[in-house]
Amino acid sequence: MSTIELQNLTKSFGDLTAVNNVSLKVDENEVLCLLGPSGCGKTTTLRMVAGLEIATSGNILIDNKNVNELETRDRNLAMAFQFYALYPSLTVGENLANPLYAENLSEKEIKEKIFEIADILQLREIINRKPHQLAEGEKQRVAVGRAIIRDPQCFLFDEPLSRLDVQLREQMRGQIKEVLSDLNKATVIVTHDQLEALTMATKIAVMRDGLIEQISSPHDIFAKPENTFVAGFIGTPQMNIADCNISNINSSVLEISLLNQIIEIDFGKALDINKNENYFFGVRPRSFDLAETATNQSLSGEVDLIENMGSEVLLHVNSNDASFRTVQSRSHKIKVGDKIHLKPKKSQVHLFNSDGKVVAHG
Ligand code: ATP
């Protein structure tokens, strides 16, 4: 069994609460990504799990055992805080072997482990090279190998791919995900890169100002954001979020007034909604279909800017001096000045209350 559990974990630096009452559980087999903007407390959380930072309050459990008082070396974790911290004078094989020297293994056992890891990470051919003879992706794989070779209980990675170029990142995301899914360990990865989190995680915890805003599967974080912060933070281009109010309620169908237009949305179930309150309406730029004409289920506006995105275009649409954005295929040949009508796709709109908390996805 390999699990990590945080119970009401808090860390203060003087007046600053860097991590505020964080509770979460990572099961064996799970890869949890801590995702959030710079300074939200991701690294501090990871460092507390590693025992490199003492918690102000709360508990850290590894395999259901409280490790608050244990030193880093006694927590049996593998950490990769800096993927490139390889020993420059040692070969790939020697770098891989390094964490094993404290384990009291025979030379034969060490050799077997090196080759096992080298096979998993495709390092056999470069086993005798030194770091300066390696490409960036190879160095990365050696560093991952060094983290996993000891067969620890759990893995902790801090911004594992941040130093790689885009192409290599894409490649490594897949490779690391594959390796981790074979190892059946609880893993925590810190990243501010949402693509990294969405592709590598089985579960994402979005943090802001030391607090966890939402913990969900990558799909739900994207499709069912629980508040406007998560809705706006996840997904590019960013979700359109506009003030709105409800002008009429007819069972599950709401008549929503936004951008000085009225649009009808069927949420599929009756909602606890108050006509006199303000709400926020959210819809992602990719969640609109082009409509031929204006209807009571579409929003209309004039295109005032077009950004090229390869086979797609990002259209900035002006409606009564407010703007929203949509991504459409370049094949529609839309031009600046065109009046367009956009119908939100079914089950891809979000309604939030005035505190930013979700009321409904529909
Ligand atoms: P980044 O992605 O930029 O690394 P992060 O989400 O990992 O950000 P942390 O590094 O955990 O954020 O920092 C959280 C907050 O705690 C920040 O405001 C940071 O300045 C502060 N902080 C972190 N370590 C210390 C420290 N040793 N002393 C004082 N303040 C600290």
Side-chain angles (χ1 to χ4, degrees), residues 238-285:
Q238 241 186 347
M239 185 186 285
N240 297 291
I241 298 176
D243 294 334
C244 71
N245 45 64
I246 312 301
S247 39
N248 206 3
I249 303 171
N250 184 1
S251 180
S252 65
V253 181
L254 304 188
E255 213 175 80
I256 301 173
S257 165
L258 77 154
L259 309 168
N260 283 326
Q261 303 184 39
I262 302 260
I263 183 169
E264 266 182 28
I265 302 281
D266 187 350
F267 282 86
K269 58 174 188 221
L271 302 175
D272 185 15
I273 290 279
N274 189 339
K275 273 213 262 184
N276 302 317
E277 285 174 19
N278 292 324
Y279 292 90
F280 292 104
F281 180 81
V283 54
R284 294 194 185 280

Side-chain angles (χ1 to χ4, degrees), residues 25 58 112 150 208:
K25 185 161 187 203
E112 279 169 6
R150 235 170 13 89
R208 172 171 62 157

Side-chain angles (χ1 to χ4, degrees), residues 2 28 31 35 46 55 84 97 139 147 152 161 200 208 223 226 233 241 246 313 321 326 355 357:
S2 142
E28 116 181 298
V31 177
L35 176 68
L46 199 72
Y84 292 109
K139 283 188 208 166
L161 308 177
M200 289 167 66
R208 172 171 62 157
E226 284 170 11
F233 187 71
I241 298 176
I246 312 301
V313 283
D321 290 333
T326 179
D355 294 332
K357 293 217 165 55

Side-chain angles (χ1 to χ4, degrees), residues 13 16 18 36-45 53 159 190 192:
F13 296 106
L16 176 87
S38 189
C40 69
K42 308 177 294 287
T43 297
T44 304
T45 304
E53 204 76 72
E159 300 279 359
V190 159
H192 65 270

Side-chain angles (χ1 to χ4, degrees), residues 25-251:
K25 185 161 187 203
V26 191
D27 281 328
E28 116 181 298
N29 250 334
E30 277 189 328
V31 177
L32 174 97
C33 274
L34 287 174
L35 176 68
S38 189
C40 69
K42 308 177 294 287
T43 297
T44 304
T45 304
L46 199 72
R47 286 174 58 81
M48 284 192 282
V49 178
L52 298 171
E53 204 76 72
I54 306 292
T56 307
S57 60
N59 293 311
I60 301 166
L61 282 73
I62 294 176
D63 289 347
N64 297 321
K65 183 176 148 204
N66 190 313
V67 298
N68 283 16
E69 304 297 325
L70 290 187
E71 298 282 337
T72 299
R73 64 171 175 274
D74 298 324
R75 296 191 184 193
N76 198 12
L77 300 158
M79 296 177 279
F81 283 85
Q82 271 292 345
F83 265 359
Y84 292 109
L86 304 177
Y87 296 105
S89 59
L90 302 185
T91 64
V92 168
E94 289 162 346
N95 263 288
L96 287 175
N98 198 267
L100 298 176
Y101 292 144
E103 303 263 302
N104 246 340
L105 298 175
S106 70
E107 217 163 287
K108 182 168 168 277
E109 285 168 318
I110 290 179
K111 249 193 179 144
E112 279 169 6
K113 281 235 169 211
I114 291 173
F115 282 115
E116 183 192 330
I117 294 297
D119 281 343
I120 292 175
L121 289 161
Q122 296 162 26
L123 297 170
R124 277 259 190 174
E125 281 179 20
I126 55 167
I127 203 104
N128 293 318
R129 290 199 200 147
K130 295 205 169 154
H132 73 271
Q133 298 168 303
L134 303 178
E136 292 302 297
E138 291 169 338
K139 283 188 208 166
Q140 183 104 42
R141 295 210 297 276
V142 178
V144 172
R146 222 175 47 173
I148 65 179
I149 199 162
R150 235 170 13 89
D151 195 26
Q153 311 258 57
C154 307
F155 296 117
L156 309 178
F157 295 118
D158 194 355
E159 300 279 359
L161 308 177
S162 58
R163 294 229 207 131
L164 298 181
D165 64 35
V166 179
Q167 219 176 353
L168 211 47
R169 264 175 186 235
E170 210 170 287
Q171 214 179 331
M172 287 304 297
R173 277 202 300 264
Q175 285 182 0
I176 294 180
K177 186 182 170 124
E178 216 175 291
V179 169
L180 291 177
S181 70
D182 286 347
L183 294 172
N184 290 343
K185 307 276 171 167
T187 301
V188 180
I189 301 177
V190 159
T191 180
H192 65 270
D193 180 336
Q194 50 171 290
L195 205 56
E196 213 163 287
L198 289 166
T199 51
M200 289 167 66
T202 55
K203 210 152 80 174
I204 295 177
V206 177
M207 287 186 80
R208 172 171 62 157
D209 295 341
L211 293 163
I212 301 253
E213 293 280 335
Q214 181 170 353
I215 304 183
S216 299
S217 67
H219 173 270
D220 283 359
I221 284 276
F222 183 82
K224 295 179 184 166
E226 284 170 11
N227 55 49
T228 45
F229 175 76
V230 175
F233 187 71
I234 301 284
T236 33
Q238 241 186 347
M239 185 186 285
N240 297 291
I241 298 176
D243 294 334
C244 71
N245 45 64
I246 312 301
S247 39
N248 206 3
I249 303 171
N250 184 1
S251 180

